[in-house]
Amino acid sequence: MGEGVIVKADKTEFTECWNMAWKTPYILRLALSAGIGGFLFGYDTGVISGALLYIRDDFEAVAKSTKLQETIVSMAVAGAIVGAAVGGYMNDAFGRKMSILIADVLFFFGALVQAAAPSPGVIILGRILVGLGVGMASMTSPLYISEASPARIRGALVSTNGLLITSGQFLSYLINLAFTKAPGTWRWMIGIACIPPLVQFFLMLSLPESPRWLYRKNKVDEARQILEKIYDADEVEKEMKALSSSVEAEKAAEADIGTGVIAKLKSAFGNKVVRRGLYAGITVQVAQQFVGINTVMYYAPTIVQFAGFASNSVALALSLVTSGLNALGTLISMAFVDRYGRRRLMIISMIGIITFLVALSIVFMQASLHAPMISSIESAHFGANSTCSKYATAANPSKWSCMSCLKADCGFCSNPSSTYLPGACLEASKALKGECGAEKRVFFEQGCPSKFGFLAVILLGIYIIMYAPGMGTVPWIVNSEIYPLRYRGLGGGIAAVANWSSNLLVSSTYLTLTENLGAGGTFFVFAAVSCVSLCFIYWFVPETKGLQFEQVEKILEDGYKPSLCGGRKKDKDVDTA
């Protein structure tokens, strides 16, 4: 029980999980109740992508400030970094159950503050609160499930947490689409996130603490009582002995490396095996973010608008496909990661990601080059005071296209005959947007009408398919296997902080990059960085599929040497069967 090993689920394990759920529903109740934390993690990180479209409509300051939009999105990530760090301490000090309850309070008030926000500053405050909850839930929910699950079905139950994360993201896109016509739009989209934490809070009140945590706190009888609800009577004593030996080994390891953060860090970086494990673990976590995936998760509707779909509801509907493909990719990974290996899956995934990022870059660049021109006659149609001031004073207005108009922070009102014909360049205001719409024209503010738009959405979907089964899930698996047991928590924590920090960097600069380089140039930057990441994965990340932890340590101790086929060179001292 709870030996620190994260077991991957296979078909047999899922079958046994199903059978045990029918036999002992209490087990499934524990897993699903805690798994709501993963669902909230997914929902709160996904819902902002659609809500941002309508926040821009309600607050002119947000519509005109790229930096403010990036701040609204990225503050949840910043909060998650702090939440993950604080969550580690709270898990040990107050228990897994209490940490989940506190995360629920943060989720609830964060959603409430955002939904009622009278200004962008208050939205940012709510995003920080939600981020703190996300950071705590991202590490506490799978930990609680792992420690309160029978060992033989632990992998299947822990895998449900990852599935609930992507399901939460998918549902957030559905909710966004459902409220596009409702009064208050984004307030409902965000505010509905108050409900799941309330449900989880009251469910968790009736559930026990993790038996492993109780045992560590010398509450042996309470730990036994919980195990008696999870296991058959003849298995309880065996699990108690396993729990005892595991906790004693853990305490011995702590005595060996120290309990203070500084002492643990010095010990980790002074150990050759751990240091090389960190090279691999940090590499895959940083690479996961630098392929640009969370620009798609956080800004998908905006990216669809960059592709030429001006309607908020159309952009949300098309971006829903990307979220659904991400959830599907998680299932594919669960089916193939133990068959084809971690390293091979990541390398194939990265090659596909790079290919389709380059394709997306070319498509968006072509769309920019073929953007409709600006017509002085169409612009004058709405009155001299309505024409974009920068266009009116430009030295060569005849060379202006829709892209030139948008770069000047103005809006493009399409030609009434066709969106692809020359249109008007107008000041970006609600009044002029309304006038444009009243004449059955389309007002573009994020991207220009393009015949390449639908192709861009298809390529975006293929990019997600290439990402999700490999780089989407495998980095977390690698980080559960690459470190020696006594350093697993520390190593995984360092790599997780690297992941969240990279996430923050990417999500807080995406719109700025797009503003300066265009969507095509930004995707090309991600493709270039992904090429570098692929090289690092090839050189530093060994295959860990089917290996005992001691075998992984041996590989790192000897110094990993990559092979062309995605495995590793044969080591006579390590059995790879």
Side-chain angles (χ1 to χ4, degrees):
M1 177 74 195
E3 296 166 324
V5 179
I6 298 178
V7 182
K8 269 60 66 184
D10 59 20
K11 185 177 180 181
T12 303
E13 190 171 316
F14 278 112
T15 302
E16 186 165 358
C17 180
W18 178 259
N19 292 335
M20 286 194 71
W22 279 103
K23 181 181 177 182
T24 315
Y26 185 74
I27 296 171
L28 198 59
R29 181 182 163 199
L30 285 171
L32 292 180
S33 296
I36 294 174
F39 176 84
L40 283 163
F41 174 3
Y43 187 91
D44 281 304
T45 54
V47 71
I48 194 63
S49 62
L52 186 64
L53 302 181
Y54 297 93
I55 292 172
R56 288 198 308 241
D57 288 344
D58 276 8
F59 298 107
E60 194 171 345
V62 177
K64 291 185 175 181
S65 173
T66 297
K67 186 53 64 179
L68 192 52
Q69 292 175 45
E70 289 173 335
T71 302
I72 289 172
V73 171
S74 61
M75 278 303 98
V77 181
I81 296 173
V82 178
V86 173
Y89 166 77
M90 293 187 64
N91 273 316
D92 289 337
F94 305 111
R96 290 45 162 152
K97 176 180 174 178
M98 180 58 69
S99 297
I100 291 174
L101 292 174
I102 293 172
D104 284 333
V105 172
L106 291 168
F107 277 126
F108 178 81
F109 284 104
L112 205 61
V113 167
Q114 289 178 85
S119 67
V122 179
I123 295 176
I124 291 170
L125 174 61
R127 293 289 292 165
I128 292 172
L129 290 175
V130 162
L132 291 170
V134 165
M136 292 178 65
S138 68
M139 62 181 306
T140 307
S141 291
L143 184 63
Y144 179 90
I145 296 170
S146 176
E147 294 181 349
S149 303
R152 60 184 178 274
I153 62 166
R154 186 176 301 139
L157 291 177
V158 174
S159 294
T160 62
N161 187 68
L163 187 59
L164 283 167
I165 291 173
T166 53
S167 298
Q169 290 174 333
F170 182 71
L171 183 64
S172 72
Y173 281 69
L174 280 177
I175 295 294
N176 283 344
L177 194 58
F179 285 104
T180 53
K181 303 298 182 183
T185 55
W186 64 272
R187 297 183 187 276
W188 285 104
M189 295 172 183
I190 292 173
I192 205 168
C194 289
I195 298 173
L198 277 179
V199 173
Q200 185 180 44
F201 187 89
F202 288 108
L203 285 174
M204 290 302 299
L205 286 177
S206 64
L207 293 175
E209 180 52 82
S210 154
R212 182 182 182 85
W213 184 84
L214 290 171
Y215 198 98
R216 277 198 61 116
K217 296 298 180 181
N218 296 318
K219 299 180 179 180
V220 179
D221 291 338
E222 290 182 45
R224 181 186 291 276
Q225 289 172 11
I226 297 166
L227 294 180
E228 287 173 349
K229 294 182 180 180
I230 298 173
Y231 291 93
D232 292 333
D234 59 338
E235 294 182 296
V236 172
E237 199 58 41
K238 182 179 70 174
E239 291 302 320
M240 284 294 292
K241 288 179 181 178
L243 185 57
S244 174
S245 61
S246 174
V247 170
E248 291 305 317
E250 192 176 276
K251 289 180 178 179
E254 287 179 355
D256 184 41
I257 66 175
T259 55
V261 175
I262 301 300
K264 287 182 177 180
L265 286 172
K266 286 180 66 176
S267 178
F269 284 101
N271 185 303
K272 179 173 63 176
V273 172
V274 179
R275 194 165 60 246
R276 288 172 176 170
L278 284 169
Y279 294 158
I282 293 174
T283 288
V284 295
Q285 292 287 37
V286 172
Q288 184 191 64
Q289 296 303 318
F290 279 0
V291 299
I293 184 59
N294 277 321
T295 62
V296 178
M297 291 298 104
Y298 299 156
Y299 298 107
T302 301
I303 293 172
V304 171
Q305 288 188 332
F306 288 155
F309 297 91
S311 166
N312 285 351
S313 57
V314 171
L316 283 171
L318 290 174
S319 60
L320 178 65
V321 176
T322 64
S323 181
L325 290 172
N326 193 35
L328 177 63
T330 304
L331 292 172
I332 295 172
S333 177
M334 290 165 65
F336 291 107
V337 71
D338 282 325
R339 179 179 300 179
Y340 296 110
R342 292 83 163 108
R343 176 180 162 85
R344 184 175 288 110
L345 218 55
M346 284 191 293
I347 289 176
I348 293 172
S349 179
M350 286 296 292
I351 291 171
I353 286 168
I354 293 166
T355 300
F356 289 101
L357 279 175
V358 171
L360 277 166
S361 175
I362 293 170
V363 167
F364 274 104
M365 286 179 178
Q366 287 298 310
S368 177
L369 289 173
H370 294 86
M373 300 302 291
I374 300 299
S375 165
S376 57
I377 297 174
E378 290 294 328
S379 299
H381 170 77
F382 291 91
N385 292 333
S386 300
T387 302
C388 174
S389 57
K390 291 182 180 178
Y391 169 72
T393 58
N396 51 353
S398 61
K399 294 185 178 180
W400 271 48
S401 70
C402 168
M403 290 303 299
S404 310
C405 181
L406 298 191
K407 287 179 180 178
D409 295 324
C410 295
F412 177 79
C413 182
S414 69
N415 190 292
S417 300
S418 170
T419 57
Y420 305 121
L421 293 175
C425 186
L426 308 177
E427 293 290 348
S429 69
K430 285 186 178 180
L432 287 173
K433 184 176 181 179
E435 286 185 36
C436 179
E439 295 189 7
K440 307 298 182 183
R441 301 169 180 240
V442 182
F443 197 76
F444 294 83
E445 296 176 274
Q446 298 298 320
C448 295
S450 170
K451 294 179 181 179
F452 296 95
F454 196 67
L455 176 59
V457 174
I458 291 173
L459 289 173
L460 201 61
I462 301 174
Y463 161 80
I464 293 289
I465 291 173
M466 297 306 302
Y467 165 84
M471 292 306 298
T473 55
V474 177
W476 298 102
I477 296 173
V478 169
N479 271 277
S480 74
E481 300 171 328
I482 202 71
Y483 311 108
L485 181 59
R486 61 189 180 279
Y487 290 101
R488 189 153 301 128
L490 179 65
I494 292 172
V497 169
N499 182 286
W500 282 112
S501 299
S502 302
N503 186 333
L504 177 62
L505 177 63
V506 172
S507 62
S508 63
T509 58
Y510 172 70
L511 292 179
T512 299
L513 283 171
T514 303
E515 195 173 69
N516 290 279
L517 302 177
T522 302
F523 281 120
F524 188 79
V525 168
F526 286 142
V529 174
S530 296
C531 287
V532 176
S533 298
L534 176 58
C535 293
F536 273 78
I537 290 171
Y538 177 78
W539 283 108
F540 292 114
V541 184
E543 179 57 75
T544 57
K545 178 187 76 124
L547 298 181
Q548 298 294 326
F549 292 126
E550 293 78 11
Q551 293 175 313
V552 176
E553 283 190 48
K554 176 65 174 173
I555 294 171
L556 295 174
E557 185 177 358
D558 292 344
Y560 175 67
K561 299 177 180 65
S563 70
L564 186 62
C565 296
R568 63 184 183 84
K569 291 188 177 179
K570 186 75 174 178
D571 190 321
K572 63 181 180 181
D573 297 322
V574 181
D575 178 20
T576 60

